[in-house]
């Protein structure tokens, strides 16, 4: 049976051609905010799981400086190539990328000052187990940041997309919309608690972005995890695309509204003094 990680790799390798379409720029915005929320210090060691093109890994590398280090891990080779190019463009020598499934990572416990997983936790069938694994890698004084989607993602256009998918392939919605299992601040806080990270704090942010037209929205879907749904729709994809375009025209959709959830859990203990390298 094909593993979820292999499905994700295939979908995101395809999505890499549209990964930076304008409405998806919110990955960069959320990435900067996620890194700010961690309060990283120079010298920190950071692990970024599901790092994609480096939305969080790159600002984290800038924050930890030359004595710090960032390892970005993802299953999509093409997204990792874009991430490496972005890091090289910025002249960052303290960042590395590895193509691997989180489940196969053999990383020493308590070895990271910060662990980040942005818009990735819903890719794991057992999100609590994945969070538990990530939490176990956090050293005393360190933190785990999980950033994910709230109840709205590029609405109202994405709702119209799912309605059109549901009408043709109801099986795809159940299989492809795991973000909903974690899509409220309460549920995200519960995932942290169930994973043993008791005192996690979850903040939410409402983001509104301009939408040019239906074509731009379709490219937004093609550049995201929804690419897997579009591929699975096969010959039904054209009808879904037309239906969504009709909705965007009729409802005069000119904006996309998204809620982003930022969860951070901190492990008690001494923090690394700013400016000091780890031994
Ligand atoms: C929505 S993207 C987010 C990328 C990045 N964190 C960002 O915010 O721009 C989700 C990422 O998770 C990666 N991914 C999915 N399953 C994974 C797994 N089992 N192990 C590592 N990465 C995985 C995908 O390849 C994809 O790059």
């Amino acid at each position: 049976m094909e593993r979820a990680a292999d499905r994700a790799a295939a979908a995101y390798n395809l999505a890499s051609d549209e990964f930076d379409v304008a409405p998806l720029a919110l990955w960069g915005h959320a990435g900067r905010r996620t890194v700010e929320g961690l309060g990283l210090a120079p010298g920190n060691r950071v692990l970024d799981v599901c790092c994609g093109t480096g939305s969080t890994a790159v600002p984290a590398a800038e924050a930890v400086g030359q004595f710090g280090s960032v390892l970005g891990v993802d299953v999509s080779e093409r997204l990792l190539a874009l991430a490496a190019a972005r890091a090289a463009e910025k002249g960052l020598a303290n960042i590395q990328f590895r193509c691997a499934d989180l489940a196969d990572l053999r990383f020493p416990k308590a070895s990271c000052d910060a662990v980040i997983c942005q818009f990735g936790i819903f890719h794991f069938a057992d999100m609590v187990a994945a969070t538990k694994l990530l939490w176990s890698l956090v050293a005393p004084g360190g933190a785990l940041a999980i950033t994910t989607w709230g109840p709205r993602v590029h609405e109202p256009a994405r709702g119209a997309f799912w309605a059109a998918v549901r009408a043709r392939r109801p099986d795809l919605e159940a299989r492809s919309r795991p973000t909903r299992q974690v899509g409220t601040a309460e549920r995200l806080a519960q995932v942290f608690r169930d994973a043993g990270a008791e005192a996690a704090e979850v903040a939410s942010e409402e983001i509104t972005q301009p939408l040019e037209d239906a074509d731009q929205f379709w490219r937004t879907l093609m550049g995201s995890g929804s690419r897997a749904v579009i591929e699975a729709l096969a010959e039904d994809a054209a009808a879904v695309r037309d239906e969504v375009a009709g909705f965007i025209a009729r409802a005069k959709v000119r904006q996309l509204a998204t809620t982003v959830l930022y969860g951070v859990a901190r492990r008690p203990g001494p923090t690394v003094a700013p400016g000091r390298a780890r031994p």
Side-chain angles (χ1 to χ4, degrees), residues 217-256:
F217 179 64
W218 192 256
R219 291 177 53 221
T220 302
L221 295 170
M222 296 281 276
S224 73
S226 298
R227 184 65 169 261
V229 180
I230 293 171
E231 295 296 317
L233 279 168
E235 65 271 20
D236 286 330
V240 168
R241 181 182 178 146
D242 289 349
E243 202 169 309
V244 176
F247 169 80
I248 288 173
R250 273 194 314 282
K252 298 187 173 52
V253 179
R254 295 285 173 271
Q255 288 188 329
L256 299 175

Side-chain angles (χ1 to χ4, degrees), residues 107-154:
F107 229 70
K109 305 261 180 251
S111 58
C112 305
D113 301 305
V115 176
I116 302 171
C117 185
Q118 172 166 295
F119 302 131
I121 200 67
F122 42 79
H123 282 297
F124 303 100
D126 188 340
M127 294 186 218
V128 171
T131 304
K132 202 180 263 183
L133 171 58
L134 297 176
W135 181 233
S136 76
L137 305 179
V138 176
L144 166 64
I146 297 181
T147 298
T148 190
W149 306 115
R152 300 188 301 170
V153 186
H154 289 145

Side-chain angles (χ1 to χ4, degrees), residues 5 8 12 19 27 50-52 55 73-76 79 100-102 118-119 123-124:
Y12 282 100
F19 207 69
W27 288 343
C50 300
C51 68
S55 312
V73 173
D74 200 286
V75 287
S76 166
L79 294 188
D101 177 356
L102 169 66
Q118 172 166 295
F119 302 131
H123 282 297
F124 303 100

Side-chain angles (χ1 to χ4, degrees), residues 51-216:
C51 68
T53 57
S55 312
T56 40
V58 167
E62 289 170 331
V64 301
Q66 59 173 326
F67 297 117
S69 63
V70 177
L71 176 64
V73 173
D74 200 286
V75 287
S76 166
E77 280 178 10
R78 290 205 199 152
L79 294 188
L80 287 172
L82 293 173
R86 192 185 275 188
E89 212 171 88
K90 289 182 174 275
L92 292 167
N94 60 353
I95 185 167
Q96 292 189 322
F97 295 100
R98 190 184 299 171
C99 190
D101 177 356
L102 169 66
D104 299 332
L105 260 197
R106 297 287 169 260
F107 229 70
K109 305 261 180 251
S111 58
C112 305
D113 301 305
V115 176
I116 302 171
C117 185
Q118 172 166 295
F119 302 131
I121 200 67
F122 42 79
H123 282 297
F124 303 100
D126 188 340
M127 294 186 218
V128 171
T131 304
K132 202 180 263 183
L133 171 58
L134 297 176
W135 181 233
S136 76
L137 305 179
V138 176
L144 166 64
I146 297 181
T147 298
T148 190
W149 306 115
R152 300 188 301 170
V153 186
H154 289 145
E155 296 297 354
R158 202 173 276 259
F161 169 71
W162 281 112
V165 171
R166 199 178 305 127
R168 291 164 181 83
R169 291 283 307 277
D171 60 307
L172 285 181
E173 185 172 35
R175 189 169 94 198
S176 318
R177 232 177 158 183
T179 50
R180 290 192 148 185
Q181 291 161 28
V182 70
T184 66
E186 294 71 31
R187 279 186 229 150
L188 179 56
Q190 190 62 48
V191 168
F192 273 104
R193 273 197 297 276
D194 291 348
E198 293 294 336
E201 286 182 7
V202 180
S204 84
E205 180 184 19
E206 302 295 333
I207 298 171
T208 305
Q209 297 171 283
L211 178 68
E212 281 173 12
D213 53 25
D215 181 58
Q216 191 189 41

